[in-house]
Structures are given as C-alpha cells and as structure tokens.
Amino acid sequence: MKPVFKSLLAAATVAVMSSTAVAQEPASLQDLLNSVKANRSSEAKINAQREAEFQSARADKQALLRKAQSQLKAEQDRGDRLQKQFSDNEVTLNEKAAELEQATGTLGEMFGVVRQASSEAYGRIATSIVSAQYPGRDDFLARMSEESKGLPNIDELEELWISLQTEMTEQGSVVKFTTDVISLEGGTTSQEILRVGTFNLVGDEGYLTYDDENDIVQPLGRQPDGYLVSAAEGARAATSGFVPFYADPSRGQILGLLKQKATMAERYHAGGVVGYVITGMLAIGLLIGLYKLITLTLVGGKIRSQLKNPASPSESNPLGRILKVYSENKGVDAESLELKLDEAILKELPSIDSGINVIKIFAAIAPLLGLLGTVLGMIATFQTITLFGTGDPRMMAGSISMALVTTAQGIIAALPLILTHSIVASKSKQIVHILDEQTAGIIAAHAESEKA
C-alpha cells in the first residue's frame, strides 16, 4: 500500500509542478530547482498531515468495532438469560395450571356448561323478536359464548339466568311498545306495535319482521291474505278480552313462505293469451245472458198483461201481435188460421231466442280453450326441459302454471255460462210455451165456432 501511496504523491507533485510551470515559468534552472524543492517540502507536509488523519480515523473505527463486539456479546448473554427465564416460566406455568386444575375440581365442567348454554341462548335470543323491544340483550351472551376465557363469576351467572328467564317470561306475554319501523320506501316512522309472545309483530302495515343482523323492524315485503291481516289489525286494536289472531309458530318462516304465495291477479295472468280469451268469452256470454234475462223478463211481463186483456191486442208484445193476426183473419178456415198463427209465431222466435245459442257455444268452447292452454303449457314445459334440463324446477314453473291455470279458467268460465244459458233458455221456453198455448186455444175456439 505504501509504494502506491508514494507513486500517487509523486504524480501529484508532477501535476503541481506542471501547473506551476504553466502558471509562472522559472527564469533559470536554479529557480526551477528551488521551486521544485519548495513544492516537495510543502507536499510532504500535506501528506504527513493526511496520513495522521487516516491513522486517527482508523483508531476510532477500531474503538467502535470493539464497542459493537462488546454490545453483541452483552445481547447474546442477555438472550441466553431470557431463554433460560422463558423455560423456567414455562415450567412454572405448567405447575400453576396443574395446581389450578386441581384446585378448581369440577368447576371446569361448569365453565363448559355455562359457555354452551350461553352459546345456545345467544342463538335463540339474538333472533328473537323480543330483542326488538329490549335491544342489546345478546351482547353479554356473545361475550360469554365466544370471548370469555376464565371461569364465570357470580354476576355473570346471574346475568345468564336473568336472560334465560326474561326470554321464557316474554314468550307468554302479549304487549304493545313503541319503536322505529323502517318502511319499504326507506323512511323511518315511530309506531306502536303489538308483540305476540315470540311469534309475531304487528304494526300499521300489518305483520312486521325483525332483522336481527341490523337490529331493525320492517314490514313484510308482501302481506298474507286479507283475512289474516284483518285479524292481526283487530288484535292490535283490542285493549282487553279474547280476540282471534293467526300466529306464526315458526317465528316468521311461514309468513316468509306466504309472502311468496302468488296472488289471484298473478295466477290469472299466468294463463297468458288463452286465459285472456277465456275471460273475454266469459264476459261477453254473461253480458248477453244479462241482456236476454232483462229483455225476456220485460217481454214476459207484457205477455202476462196481455193475457189479462186479450180483447185489445198490442203491438208491443209477441202475444199481442199474434192476437192481432187472429183478429185480422177471423173469417178464414181453421187450417188457414193455424198457418197464419204459426207464421206469426215463427216471426217472433228469432227475437226471443237470439243470443241464447251464443251463450251455449261459449260454455262449450271455454273448457276446450282451457285444454288448449294446458297443451301449450306442457309443450313449453318440455321445451324448457330440453334446453335447461330438470335441475331447476323453477325454470318450468311458468309453463306448468299456464297449463294448470288455463284449465281452471276454462272450467270456471263454463260453469256460470252453462247456468246463465239454462236460466235464459228457460225464460225463452216459457214465453214460447205461452204463445203456443194461446195459439192452440185460439185455433180450437175458431174450429168449434166453424162447426157451430
């Protein structure tokens, strides 16, 4: 290292001499020699100073190294002491744990029973609708069942007993309390709601549900049938006595299934186009039947009035028009008169029987349309099975609903149409019978008068 250092000093001296020569050229060789000697002396002093500084720094670094080595040794000794202390503590902990187990005896079993009971009670109380009236009851049970690591103390045992006793007591109580209810639109209203044991909550909108995860009370997405809601509202309005009430013993599961039940409107629309056609036929048939029932009733009343006054026939009723034909043909023979009267009756029949056969046809076609809807629904069902298989029955529900609903709609439409046709046809036959009876009487009286 020293030869290299000397060569660097020589190079530096030459460089300085070169720069000095460039800066100031010597006047003679003696001046040049003197200048070189002076520079050499100056550079030697600088190099000596630098070497002293390097030696001092090296000594400092050696001191730091010795200090770091001393600290490392101290930390290693400390680690050994801590490791030994840790091993000793492990032994002590095991000894103390054995002593604790021996001292507690059967209390350890009690801890397991308490923790299990707390876990079961937490699952039941956290989802109970009683928590809507008394929120926060499950916090203590959650700590007891999950976070507690030691033996329960007397206060915790009493708190567990009170929680269980409260739930048991509230199961048999019917109370009203005020709380916030989240509406389906997102708003919040304060309502007085009825709690029936641990079964159901009833509010302004009907049956309510309790969301234990968010600790909120909200209405069902869809209320059950109207009579169930009416009974619930009646129980909520009652102040004393016995009132009917439909309780859900499954704590909301049955209500959850009922809200998925299809309404009458949804069932009706499941019939599709075929169902709409059947409904149209039913409406038209009933309108025709109602119209014929009214007109035939009016005609029958006019005929009965005409029977009371046969001497003055009226053009406003069929019997009056037939009597007028008789009055205009009294001089003809009986056979001619019979033909005239038969002709008059035949003229009256179209107006009396009009529309009745349409009702009969609709009553016959409605079940056939229902059968058509059934066939179309089954075709759609098999197409769905072909495309998607039978893994998800809900894929086929729409087609099966159409098949069943259209059949029911066809039968439902046919029954009132058949009944309407029977009533209207009976009215028509009564009127025709009166006309035939009066015509036969007129012909018989006319034939007797000719013989006389």
Side-chain angles (χ1 to χ4, degrees), residues 83 96 118 282 369 392 411 423 451:
Q83 182 66 34
K96 296 299 181 182
S118 300
L282 174 61
L369 284 175
D392 189 359
I411 297 173
I423 296 173
K451 292 178 181 180

mmCIF file of all heavy atoms in Angstrom, residues 83 96 118 282 369 392 411 423 451:
data_model
loop_
_atom_site.group_PDB
_atom_site.id
_atom_site.type_symbol
_atom_site.label_atom_id
_atom_site.label_comp_id
_atom_site.label_asym_id
_atom_site.label_seq_id
_atom_site.Cartn_x
_atom_site.Cartn_y
_atom_site.Cartn_z
ATOM 1 N N GLN A 83 -33.825 -16.764 27.509
ATOM 2 C CA GLN A 83 -34.252 -18.100 27.111
ATOM 3 C C GLN A 83 -34.382 -19.016 28.321
ATOM 4 O O GLN A 83 -35.337 -19.786 28.444
ATOM 5 C CB GLN A 83 -33.232 -18.673 26.107
ATOM 6 C CG GLN A 83 -33.584 -20.059 25.579
ATOM 7 C CD GLN A 83 -34.843 -20.029 24.746
ATOM 8 O OE1 GLN A 83 -35.115 -19.062 24.051
ATOM 9 N NE2 GLN A 83 -35.631 -21.100 24.833
ATOM 10 N N LYS A 96 -48.416 -24.255 37.780
ATOM 11 C CA LYS A 96 -49.558 -23.480 38.261
ATOM 12 C C LYS A 96 -50.860 -23.955 37.615
ATOM 13 O O LYS A 96 -51.916 -23.955 38.268
ATOM 14 C CB LYS A 96 -49.342 -21.992 37.971
ATOM 15 C CG LYS A 96 -48.153 -21.379 38.722
ATOM 16 C CD LYS A 96 -48.344 -21.474 40.221
ATOM 17 C CE LYS A 96 -47.182 -20.833 40.972
ATOM 18 N NZ LYS A 96 -47.337 -20.966 42.435
ATOM 19 N N SER A 118 -74.654 -20.456 27.143
ATOM 20 C CA SER A 118 -74.607 -19.084 26.625
ATOM 21 C C SER A 118 -74.660 -19.067 25.103
ATOM 22 O O SER A 118 -75.322 -18.226 24.502
ATOM 23 C CB SER A 118 -73.336 -18.385 27.117
ATOM 24 O OG SER A 118 -73.286 -18.331 28.521
ATOM 25 N N LEU A 282 -116.154 -15.276 -21.328
ATOM 26 C CA LEU A 282 -117.000 -15.280 -20.133
ATOM 27 C C LEU A 282 -117.717 -13.946 -19.980
ATOM 28 O O LEU A 282 -118.938 -13.911 -19.702
ATOM 29 C CB LEU A 282 -116.145 -15.575 -18.907
ATOM 30 C CG LEU A 282 -116.842 -15.474 -17.547
ATOM 31 C CD1 LEU A 282 -117.982 -16.473 -17.450
ATOM 32 C CD2 LEU A 282 -115.852 -15.672 -16.414
ATOM 33 N N LEU A 369 -110.796 -24.316 -24.777
ATOM 34 C CA LEU A 369 -109.688 -23.356 -24.738
ATOM 35 C C LEU A 369 -108.774 -23.632 -23.536
ATOM 36 O O LEU A 369 -107.545 -23.491 -23.625
ATOM 37 C CB LEU A 369 -110.228 -21.930 -24.673
ATOM 38 C CG LEU A 369 -110.780 -21.355 -25.985
ATOM 39 C CD1 LEU A 369 -111.395 -19.986 -25.739
ATOM 40 C CD2 LEU A 369 -109.680 -21.261 -27.032
ATOM 41 N N ASP A 392 -83.399 -27.326 -12.249
ATOM 42 C CA ASP A 392 -84.062 -26.244 -11.530
ATOM 43 C C ASP A 392 -85.547 -26.255 -11.879
ATOM 44 O O ASP A 392 -85.940 -25.840 -12.978
ATOM 45 C CB ASP A 392 -83.445 -24.893 -11.912
ATOM 46 C CG ASP A 392 -83.944 -23.754 -11.039
ATOM 47 O OD1 ASP A 392 -84.780 -24.021 -10.155
ATOM 48 O OD2 ASP A 392 -83.499 -22.611 -11.236
ATOM 49 N N ILE A 411 -112.836 -24.141 -17.016
ATOM 50 C CA ILE A 411 -113.927 -24.733 -16.231
ATOM 51 C C ILE A 411 -114.703 -23.648 -15.483
ATOM 52 O O ILE A 411 -115.948 -23.672 -15.429
ATOM 53 C CB ILE A 411 -113.360 -25.778 -15.263
ATOM 54 C CG1 ILE A 411 -112.717 -26.923 -16.051
ATOM 55 C CG2 ILE A 411 -114.443 -26.300 -14.338
ATOM 56 C CD1 ILE A 411 -111.993 -27.926 -15.194
ATOM 57 N N ILE A 423 -130.856 -20.574 -17.419
ATOM 58 C CA ILE A 423 -131.862 -19.613 -16.945
ATOM 59 C C ILE A 423 -132.506 -18.887 -18.118
ATOM 60 O O ILE A 423 -133.744 -18.756 -18.204
ATOM 61 C CB ILE A 423 -131.208 -18.612 -15.979
ATOM 62 C CG1 ILE A 423 -130.714 -19.335 -14.727
ATOM 63 C CG2 ILE A 423 -132.193 -17.506 -15.613
ATOM 64 C CD1 ILE A 423 -129.907 -18.460 -13.796
ATOM 65 N N LYS A 451 -167.825 -25.231 -36.681
ATOM 66 C CA LYS A 451 -168.743 -26.361 -36.594
ATOM 67 C C LYS A 451 -170.114 -25.926 -36.140
ATOM 68 O O LYS A 451 -171.152 -26.465 -36.593
ATOM 69 C CB LYS A 451 -168.214 -27.422 -35.650
ATOM 70 C CG LYS A 451 -166.961 -28.113 -36.176
ATOM 71 C CD LYS A 451 -166.461 -29.130 -35.165
ATOM 72 C CE LYS A 451 -165.187 -29.816 -35.681
ATOM 73 N NZ LYS A 451 -164.680 -30.824 -34.716
#
